Amino acid sequence: MPNAFAPMTAEQFRTMLIAQVGKPYVLGAEASPNDPNPPKFDCSELVEWAFARNGTPIGDLAAAEYDKTRALKPGESPRVGDLVFLKNNPARWNGIGHVAVITAKLSNGDYEIVEARGRRYGVVRSSLSYWKTRKYFTGVRRFDKFRLATPTETDRLFRYAWANGRAERWGGLNDSSPKRAQELAKLKPSIIGLAEFSERARNATRAELGPEWLTWPVGYCAVIWSNKSWLHGGHDEIGFGTDYHGAVRVPLRSLRNNDHTMDVISVHVRPTDSYPGQTDAYILKRKREQIERTLTELLRPEKPTIVGGDFNTTHAADIFTKHGLVLAVNHTIDQIWVTPDIGIRKGTVYDPGNVSDHKWLMLQGTLRADTT
């Protein structure tokens, strides 16, 4: 597993906390740092858990966390990992009753905050500008032992693309056309997840991209990667009852650093028209079952993972979040989800023109070293 007790990058720290948004607030909740996906938090436990996962433990209880921090000095700006407090509990020796953590600087100059706000709200995203309006706000404070890693210290940058190629049998280009590969090459990925790529289309794509590209398919779905960047470790697959749809997982190890490993999962859920005569409720249930099955059978605990897919529904986010995944890039039914130990540097939607009737997705991410 990735070393959860070594400093993360700011991106990975934020991704980890954003993955907790929506979980319930339970006063007195306990979350082990060994658990990457706790079911509940209170305000100080969220901070304690996140800091411990980052290798910079601070302990529990908002009042005690306050005493371990200091106010920012003149000229110091807020940064990821700084804390904010409310002095709203006269029962505590210092009056502190609530805490939250800064997770990003926003493009408008504000700062994003994640907090376990209370029973009514659960874990939510807020902002420093909002916190400054709250009664009993104490200002921004810093835990000097808190450290974040830089990409050059522990991470490897990578580019992953997800592409539905609209196979010829469904009205797309001739499957031997090189145009799909020519569009993919513009994204400069080293890993690609595919849907609606027949064997002929995959072969044409690999012929155009170069002989170093390898693939593991299931039906018309596949993971392909450059063996100039990655070594693979076999594969596992699931079928969804047709010759065209399914899910496949490929473990990859970076050739630049043997300590960087991750799983890549490609998924193509059966579309509505493969269930003729069935009700909408029945079809949605079958689609959700295929997504749940994929994550239950292929997602490995504590292994950094990318899940790219044509999920053929927009009603499955709850399944992904239940399994601890974070949405990285989204365009209706095509999505990329990642585990929190993969940093989301940038996610973009790409229009491949007449190559497909879908938009394609690109994730620029960072991968932490596996030091265990």
Side-chain angles (χ1 to χ4, degrees), residues 167-168 172-182 198-205 207-208:
E168 184 177 0
L173 299 174
N174 186 298
D175 280 351
S176 62
S177 169
K179 290 185 178 180
R180 295 178 181 87
Q182 291 165 1
S198 68
E199 182 178 6
R200 187 167 64 160
R202 292 194 303 271
N203 290 340
T205 297
E208 183 73 15

Side-chain angles (χ1 to χ4, degrees), residues 254-330:
S254 171
L255 283 172
R256 297 183 184 179
N257 185 330
N258 284 337
D259 290 331
H260 292 90
T261 64
M262 66 177 167
D263 286 350
V264 180
I265 299 174
S266 289
V267 188
H268 193 189
V269 169
R270 290 175 60 176
T272 298
D273 61 13
S274 70
Y275 299 96
Q278 298 294 337
T279 66
D280 290 346
Y282 175 89
I283 294 169
L284 178 59
K285 183 178 181 181
R286 297 286 86 78
K287 292 177 180 179
R288 286 174 57 86
E289 286 174 350
Q290 291 164 31
I291 296 168
E292 177 66 45
R293 183 185 172 198
T294 297
L295 299 181
T296 299
E297 296 186 20
L298 297 184
L299 189 66
R300 297 194 290 177
E302 297 295 321
K303 176 60 67 175
T305 303
I306 299 173
V307 183
D310 175 353
F311 300 107
N312 271 303
T313 179
T314 58
H315 301 289
D318 60 311
I319 302 175
F320 291 100
T321 55
K322 180 184 72 173
H323 285 272
L325 294 164
V326 182
L327 183 61
V329 197
N330 174 42

Side-chain angles (χ1 to χ4, degrees), residues 73-74 94 172 189 217 272 339 368:
K73 300 174 184 176
N94 55 10
T272 298
T339 50
R368 298 182 65 202

Side-chain angles (χ1 to χ4, degrees), residues 158-176:
F158 66 88
R159 296 171 67 90
Y160 164 85
W162 167 258
N164 181 308
R166 196 184 188 191
E168 184 177 0
R169 66 172 289 115
W170 291 299
L173 299 174
N174 186 298
D175 280 351
S176 62

